[in-house]
Amino acid sequence: MDRTGPAVPQTTIFTVMSALALEHRAVNLGQGFPDESGPARVIEAAAAAMREGRNQYPPLAGVPELREAIAAHQRHWYGLEPDVDDGVVVTAGATEAVAAAMLAFVRPGDEVVAMEPFYDSYKASVELAGGTIVPWRLEAPAFRPDLVRLKEIVTDRTRVLLLNSPHNPTGTVLDRAELEAVARVAAERDLLVVTDEVYEHLVFDGLAHVPFASLPGMWERTVSIGSAGKTFSVTGWKIGWATGPADLVGRLKGVKQYLTFASGTPFQYGIAEALASGPEFYEEYVADYAERRDLLASGLADLGFTVHRPQGTYFVTAGAAPLGYADGLALCLELPERCGVVAIPNQVFYADPATPRPEVRFTFCKPREVLEEGLKRLRDGLPR
Ligand SMILES: *Cc1c(COP(=O)(O)O)cnc(C)c1O
């Protein structure tokens, strides 16, 4: 019996590092999940939905209350007007939305251009659809997109451009000029664009998140993906969504119906409540994370790392070359035992994950005391 299938990794770096974190009682600055739960009223709304008996299958597209809240959020923040019935679909996190989009749009042999380093599910999803991921590299140390390079790597086989801004792991936030340049390429080459915007509300220094779909002429060719996990600190609920024109969202729904069909009814009601949050919630959220970013970024710089100060997300990418590590994976495998700290090597987010790279990703979605403890342990344990 031939037991081979599509080559998808069986263990991810997160599994490896979480096991090491447990073994060494390490401060886990690796995987990006907050220690604290989201707002009490959001938790209460989900609990109330459960008590009220909203525990059966929701509609394929999601409960109407949540679809309306998602559409209202897109209108309020960005002036976008997805159709509540045909232009919004609730998914099992952004992860399912990405997978469903790839399975819906990518045919065997097609190419998908994605900003590299990229979130680890992208490559697997593209390959499950029979496509090939073509990395569009953000080069260290600035990690800005190279638009000349983009034109070179788009071929006749390119089907989808997969964007991620604010960008995990580098923290780069694409600005309007960069997005406009990407839009020109998308229009010239007639590409579908899928955008991962799960960090849309985590943008610092007075910068603004600009959804690609809001650029002139881009709505018709774009599927925008969001998620409640990061914004409302409920990553375990796995409520995400995709919005866009009815024909594209319809194709995605067609696939999704055979992946999960639907999930998380009471959580969907919780997120409908969450999305109705006033501006003070978002202001506080950004201000709180900006403080933690400054704490971690300056702490790592003091230790000698080459720190790339993120414009968005809750990750800091830090180069370890000045500490004598050209290989970030080697450092990350050593850190739990040596210092009692866990971080993620950026090299796992590249199309070729075997090439050593000096950058390491630390998350700051942890309480101040935890960040301070992590920095102290690094100070005590790192070679100097
Ligand atoms: C966390 C994350 C996701 C996954 O979101 P879920 O809603 O938990 O599935 C997708 N993309 C990026 C860039 C992420 O950081």
Side-chain angles (χ1 to χ4, degrees):
M1 194 198 328
D2 180 1
R3 295 170 192 273
T4 56
V8 172
Q10 295 196 359
T11 39
T12 74
I13 188 75
F14 299 103
T15 313
V16 175
M17 298 314 297
S18 294
L20 283 174
L22 216 58
E23 184 184 338
H24 297 285
R25 296 168 188 262
V27 173
N28 195 346
L29 305 183
Q31 200 172 9
F33 60 88
D35 283 10
E36 306 117 312
S37 288
R41 70 192 160 73
V42 173
I43 312 279
E44 187 43 46
M50 248 178 259
R51 282 194 300 266
E52 286 158 14
R54 300 176 194 254
N55 298 303
Q56 310 307 330
Y57 295 130
L60 166 64
V63 302
E65 288 85 345
L66 178 53
R67 279 186 280 123
E68 271 158 27
I70 292 165
H73 172 275
Q74 295 297 80
R75 198 178 321 120
H76 172 80
W77 287 91
Y78 311 123
L80 296 172
E81 309 233 347
D83 184 88
V84 172
D85 294 318
D86 297 325
V88 180
V89 56
V90 177
T91 55
T95 309
E96 188 194 31
V98 170
M102 294 306 119
L103 291 165
F105 304 132
V106 177
R107 300 157 304 189
D110 283 348
E111 294 174 352
V112 175
V113 168
M115 294 157 71
E116 185 196 50
F118 40 71
Y119 187 65
D120 62 340
S121 82
Y122 294 179
K123 183 162 181 273
S125 294
V126 169
E127 289 175 359
L128 286 171
T132 307
I133 198 158
V134 174
W136 178 28
R137 184 165 300 172
L138 307 181
E139 295 282 0
F143 298 112
R144 297 309 312 179
D146 177 343
L147 293 145
V148 175
R149 180 84 190 125
L150 177 62
K151 286 188 193 153
E152 290 165 2
I153 61 178
V154 171
T155 71
D156 292 343
R157 311 182 84 163
T158 309
R159 175 94 167 139
V160 176
L161 185 52
L162 179 48
L163 299 178
N164 171 217
S165 177
H167 181 258
N168 173 9
T170 66
T172 292
V173 175
L174 299 184
D175 64 29
R176 189 173 286 278
E178 288 165 337
L179 289 164
E180 282 170 353
V182 174
R184 281 193 292 276
V185 176
E188 271 163 29
R189 308 303 298 265
D190 196 23
L191 303 176
L192 283 170
V193 180
V194 175
T195 65
D196 178 342
E197 306 179 21
V198 305
Y199 298 101
E200 63 190 311
H201 288 293
L202 261 188
V203 173
F204 308 119
D205 307 329
L207 298 172
H209 170 66
V210 180
F212 187 78
S214 69
L215 296 176
M218 290 301 112
W219 170 260
E220 290 305 325
R221 60 174 75 249
T222 305
V223 170
S224 307
I225 293 174
S227 172
K230 313 293 164 59
T231 304
F232 302 108
S233 304
V234 288
T235 59
W237 287 13
K238 293 295 283 189
I239 300 294
W241 52 84
T243 55
D247 60 329
L248 297 183
V249 170
R251 304 259 311 277
L252 201 151
K253 267 196 281 191
V255 170
K256 183 208 153 50
Q257 121 183 271
Y258 299 112
L259 292 175
T260 55
F261 181 72
S263 57
T265 305
F267 300 129
Q268 293 197 18
Y269 287 102
I271 299 307
E273 169 72 25
L275 284 171
S277 301
E280 15 11 283
F281 167 80
Y282 297 98
E283 281 159 24
E284 227 172 85
Y285 173 74
V286 172
D288 178 26
Y289 271 112
E291 249 179 57
R292 300 192 214 187
R293 173 197 63 171
D294 293 344
L295 171 68
L296 183 64
S298 51
L300 291 171
D302 290 346
L303 293 170
F305 285 96
T306 310
V307 169
H308 176 70
R309 204 177 140 86
Q311 298 173 307
T313 75
Y314 47 43
F315 301 108
V316 173
T317 281
L323 298 165
Y325 289 89
D327 182 344
L329 175 60
L331 173 62
C332 288
L333 289 173
E334 212 178 294
L335 273 184
E337 187 169 1
R338 181 175 189 129
C339 301
V341 173
V342 163
I344 300 292
N346 278 28
Q347 77 179 62
V348 303
F349 303 119
Y350 285 76
D352 170 18
T355 301
R357 297 178 188 282
E359 291 88 18
V360 169
R361 190 193 80 174
F362 293 91
T363 183
F364 51 91
C365 61
K366 305 289 162 182
R368 282 192 83 87
E369 316 80 74
V370 174
L371 297 175
E372 278 161 1
E373 175 64 20
L375 287 167
K376 178 183 170 300
R377 291 181 180 200
L378 289 170
R379 200 173 307 121
D380 295 344
L382 278 175
R384 24 180 84 225

